Every structure is written in C-alpha cells, then in structure tokens.
Amino acid sequence: MTESQQAFNTRAIHAGQEFDPTTGAVVPPIYQTSTFVQDGIGGFRGGYEYARSGNPTRSSLETLIASLESGTHGIAFSSGLAAEDAILRSTLASGDHIVLGNDVYGGTHRLINRLHVPTGVELTTVEMSDSDAVRAALRPTTKVLWVETPSNPLMKITDIAELVEIGHAAGVTVVVDNTFASPALQQPLLLGADVVVHSTTKYIGGHSDVLGGAVVTSDDELAEKVRFVQFAAGAVLAPFEAWLTVRGIKTLAVRMERHSSNALAVAQHFAEHPAIERVYYPGLESHPGHRIAATQMSGFGGMLSVSLRDGEGAARRLAESTKLFQLAESLGGVESLIGYPSEMTHASVRGTPLEVAPNIVRISVGIEDVADLIADLESALPRV
Ligand SMILES: *Cc1c(COP(=O)(O)O)cnc(C)c1O
C-alpha cells in the first residue's frame, strides 16, 4: 500500500515520520542545527545546506501536512500570517485584485489592507456565501479569491466547490484558509481549491504551545514561488516548533472528533437558553450553512459564537465570568477558551465592513468533560 492510499488516521501518524536510520529512534529527532557539513564544496548530505533553506525536522512536518491536505507540497512558516504573506506575495503584484470574504480572520484583512494594498494591490471584501456577489466582484485583474469556511467569528459556511467553479472560470487562484476545520474535517484541495493555508497555531498544533503556519498546494509552479519567499524572506518554522507541531498532529483526528461532539452539545444546550439571542454553529440544523457544511465537512468543528440578548454588557460579563473557559485570544487547543471578538481578535477591523457586533462572544470548545463545560457557561449567564 503506498502512503497516499492510506487513510487519514494512518497518514497522521506515519507520513514523513520514518524512524531515525542511525539509531532506530521511533520518533524522528529534533535537528536543532542551523547549518550542515558539506562533503567537499557543494557535497550536501540529504540536500541540506543551511536551515533557512531546509531542515529535516521542518521537512518532516512539511511532508506530513501536505499528505493530510492531499497536496504534493507543504511549506511551513513561523506563523499563519507569515504563510499567508508568502502566498499573497507569490500570487499578487501591483495592479492585481484580490477578493476576500467579509468575515475572514481580522489579521488576514489587516495584512492585505495595510501591507499589500499600499504596494498597489486592490482589495474587495464580499459576502462569500452569496455566489452572485462573488461573481460581480471579479474583475479582469482579479488574481486571488480568498475563502475562509467556517469563517470567523460567525461560522459562515461557503460552498468551496462552487467558489472554485466561479474562480476557475475567471482564471483566478482559489485559496482556502482551512484553520477552523483542519484537514481532519475538510480537505479543500480535493474540492478543487488551488491552495490551502493554515495557522497551525490552532487545531493542527492543538495544544496552545506553538505558533506556526503552512501553505499546501499541488501546483508545482506556485509551490516553487512560495518556497522562494520562504527562503528569501526567511519567516521559517524553527525545528523545535516543527517537532511540536508534528507531535500535535498525531492526535488531530481524535481531537477533532471530541471538539466537534463537545461543541455540538454546547450549541444545542444554549440554543434554547433565554439569555442567548442566537448560537452560530454549523452543526445546528437552524444554521444557514448547515447543509453545505454537512456535505463538505466530516464534522462541524469546535468553534461557535453566541449573541447575547442583553447586548454588549451581557456579552462582556459572559466573556469575563467563566472559569474553565479562559479569556484569551486564539483557539483550537485542547483547553477551552472564550473571547470577545470586537475588542480582541477583530479589534483591527473595527470601522471596516468586517466589524463584529458588540454582543457576540466567541467560544473555542476544548476536549474537557462536556458537562463541566456546559455548567461553567451556565454559571456565567444570568438566570432568567
Ligand atoms: C489565527 C489565525 C490566522 C493567523 O495565524 P497566526 O498563526 O496567528 O499568525 C489566520 N487565519 C485564521 C482563521 C486564524 O484563526
């Protein structure tokens, strides 16, 4: 059986993870080195020369993540935004146009709007779940369609295959930020997307102890450009971070199952709560994207948001009153977190079309006991 025929759970443990040939160590070591001895000038052992251009521990993660996303090239960076910047630099030049979902991660909007727009790139934000609006936003100069599904923080779902069809008809590169779903639940390249980008800081690392990002694609020419940015600009993932990320990935599938079942239970419980105006979770049948999510995802993930009936004050009290759910930026770790997007993750998009309502609280449901999680949220909500 070749590696690519093995199922996801098997690849998550074995792809890129051959035992160490010199000692037999089952876990490949951390190659904590910046440079590599040459056997005569240009005589590289295993192709390694200097750790910015390549390091075996980073290579092992890059092979693994490419395999999990069903792509041929994985390219690892020091953060999700560094990975995004590399794909943007590889696809856009002055005068080119990018179409971005109107509720993508705030930092993605900031990166494009503040660093790429000033170099002459043109940006349009659009409601991605409205395919007519997406078609209308495309121009002859459009080079990239950037999709995030489920999106952040409202968990909007967009039909990846449909957007790929629209994008490819216009000759546009379709990039999917797959951070919220992870490859355990959704594989955009199999739905036709050209590029997947990740903040591996979140579910892929999974333990809130390492920052990182990755680009995955099967397009050789594009991969070469992204690799050049990785090498030339140098925002590479360090060996220890790569090793920690690999360690996290081994449990990705089982974690995602538990994140999904816990989040569904929390969503169902609070959908009926009198203090809650609305629960945003694609696993609820009432969610407008539920049907699409059920076809393009194999689980609904661990992220949900709620809006509070009593507005901003109630939302702030909830975010500041839970005990198990710790008030912090970020998501996707085994421990539950709670956040107030309009002043935390999405502070950078206030005053833009991506602004988040002040009565929204975002929850990253961890893999603790779900009854304890529900009790913690209950105790932080007013008894009505
Ligand atoms: C966190 C996040 C990013 C940015 O990743 P960093 O690792 O923080 O640089 C990008 N996209 C999404 C969806 C994220 O949640």
Side-chain angles (χ1 to χ4, degrees):
M1 186 157 58
T2 67
E3 199 167 79
S4 62
Q5 292 169 315
Q6 292 170 346
F8 186 90
N9 289 332
T10 306
R11 284 180 279 137
I13 311 289
H14 294 289
Q17 306 306 311
E18 289 77 24
F19 67 87
D20 177 43
T22 56
T23 63
V26 166
V27 176
I30 307 171
Y31 288 87
Q32 192 68 43
T33 188
S34 62
T35 192
F36 301 84
V37 169
Q38 304 181 16
D39 298 316
I41 298 166
F44 306 129
R45 297 190 177 194
Y48 295 103
E49 177 183 12
Y50 180 63
R52 174 158 35 71
S53 60
N55 173 290
T57 314
R58 196 175 87 217
S59 301
S60 114
L61 169 65
E62 290 177 331
T63 302
L64 175 57
I65 202 161
S67 170
L68 295 187
E69 283 290 1
S70 303
T72 51
H73 306 278
I75 306 153
F77 293 86
S78 54
S79 72
L81 285 175
E84 294 188 6
D85 187 49
I87 190 68
L88 292 164
R89 292 202 216 192
S90 303
T91 49
L92 295 167
S94 179
D96 291 341
H97 177 233
I98 176 170
V99 176
L100 190 66
N102 66 4
D103 70 340
V104 298
Y105 177 70
T108 301
H109 183 266
R110 178 180 55 210
L111 168 64
I112 299 168
N113 195 39
R114 303 276 299 276
L115 290 183
H116 289 269
V117 168
T119 70
V121 166
E122 290 172 11
L123 166 66
T124 302
T125 55
V126 68
E127 171 57 53
M128 277 287 165
S129 54
D130 178 350
S131 50
D132 291 334
V134 175
R135 266 189 212 93
L138 296 176
R139 306 177 190 165
T141 53
T142 307
K143 290 283 159 54
V144 176
L145 186 57
W146 188 287
V147 182
E148 192 180 314
T149 179
S151 73
N152 180 8
L154 297 183
M155 311 305 144
K156 281 188 209 163
I157 300 295
T158 50
D159 186 330
I160 295 172
E162 186 182 26
L163 287 173
V164 164
E165 211 176 297
I166 295 170
H168 286 180
V172 166
T173 300
V174 178
V175 178
V176 178
D177 182 336
N178 203 28
T179 299
F180 269 40
S182 93
L185 302 183
Q186 172 173 282
Q187 289 173 32
L189 298 184
L190 294 180
L191 299 168
D194 302 291
V195 181
V196 164
V197 68
H198 274 288
S199 168
T200 58
T201 312
K202 316 293 168 52
Y203 287 107
I204 288 185
H207 297 74
S208 306
D209 54 9
V210 60
L211 209 65
V215 170
V216 182
T217 181
S218 293
D219 179 328
D220 297 340
E221 204 177 313
L222 188 54
E224 199 174 313
K225 289 184 186 166
V226 175
R227 252 200 207 288
F228 181 74
V229 176
Q230 181 197 40
F231 166 69
V236 296
L237 191 67
F240 182 53
E241 314 338 71
W243 187 87
L244 272 177
T245 306
V246 166
R247 192 183 203 278
I249 287 176
K250 292 177 188 180
T251 55
L252 178 63
V254 288
R255 281 189 282 112
M256 292 315 295
E257 271 178 38
R258 179 62 68 86
H259 280 297
S260 297
S261 64
N262 277 2
L264 180 62
V266 168
Q268 284 170 336
H269 183 90
F270 289 98
E272 307 299 328
H273 195 285
I276 302 289
E277 180 183 71
R278 190 169 155 197
V279 176
Y280 297 83
Y281 184 65
L284 293 178
E285 273 170 41
S286 58
H287 188 284
H290 176 70
R291 259 180 351 109
I292 297 165
T295 51
Q296 75 186 14
M297 301 175 77
S298 58
F300 300 103
M303 293 303 298
L304 59 93
S305 289
V306 296
S307 57
L308 279 289
R309 249 185 235 295
D310 287 341
E312 176 173 348
R316 286 173 173 277
R317 272 194 300 283
L318 170 60
E320 292 178 342
S321 313
T322 50
K323 300 214 159 51
L324 277 175
F325 287 86
Q326 301 172 94
L327 179 63
E329 302 268 1
S330 200
L331 62 111
V334 291
E335 59 288 284
S336 294
L337 297 179
I338 193 162
Y340 184 62
S342 78
E343 278 188 28
M344 293 172 64
T345 48
H346 289 64
S348 69
V349 293
R350 259 188 289 172
T352 77
L354 282 76
E355 184 168 276
V356 177
N359 68 333
I360 297 275
V361 172
R362 192 186 78 175
I363 295 170
S364 174
V365 181
I367 63 170
E368 300 96 333
D369 186 276
V370 71
D372 290 338
L373 295 180
I374 289 173
D376 188 36
L377 290 166
E378 277 284 1
S379 73
L381 284 167
R383 272 165 243 288
V384 184

